[in-house]
Amino acid sequence: MTRTPQQDEPDDDPLVTQTRLRRDRRDRWLRSGDMSVGRRLAQIGVLGWIFVVPTLAGLFLGRWLDARFASGIFWSAPLMFLGVCLGGWTAWKWMNAE
């Protein structure tokens, strides 16, 4: 039985895209093997910095605004939470890109 062009699956189908991505990752892993301990530690370190830097930036900006306007922790808490969210989102995107 031959397939007609109408029966072919589109290239932008998410299932096809994810299957190809998984196959490519597996092929790359089979070619290069497991990562070294040093490379894994480096990835963990980068992931930590990706998460910590926005959190601390939000906290420092919030503390500065609180000191400037004498508002207690009115700015510190929400900006730190925003930094945690931004760091988590960035880390998640970075992990899925690797």
Side-chain angles (χ1 to χ4, degrees):
M1 174 182 238
T2 60
R3 296 187 78 164
T4 63
Q6 292 82 11
Q7 292 174 333
D8 288 340
E9 297 176 17
D11 288 338
D12 59 348
D13 183 22
L15 182 60
V16 172
T17 303
Q18 289 300 316
T19 303
R20 286 183 183 147
L21 181 63
R22 184 174 169 96
R23 184 188 63 214
D24 292 342
R25 285 180 181 165
R26 187 176 190 299
D27 290 344
R28 185 178 33 182
W29 177 77
L30 288 174
R31 281 193 310 272
S32 63
D34 280 335
M35 287 189 289
S36 68
V37 173
R39 180 160 168 115
R40 287 191 190 268
L41 289 174
Q43 282 187 336
I44 291 169
V46 168
L47 187 61
W49 282 109
I50 287 173
F51 190 78
V52 168
V53 168
T55 304
L56 291 178
L59 181 62
F60 288 137
L61 179 63
R63 293 293 295 158
W64 180 77
L65 287 171
D66 286 337
R68 188 117 167 110
F69 298 117
S71 57
I73 61 166
F74 181 78
W75 291 105
S76 297
L79 287 178
M80 185 180 76
F81 181 71
L82 183 65
V84 167
C85 292
L86 180 64
W89 179 77
T90 307
W92 180 75
K93 295 293 278 186
W94 185 77
M95 287 297 293
N96 284 329
E98 289 294 314

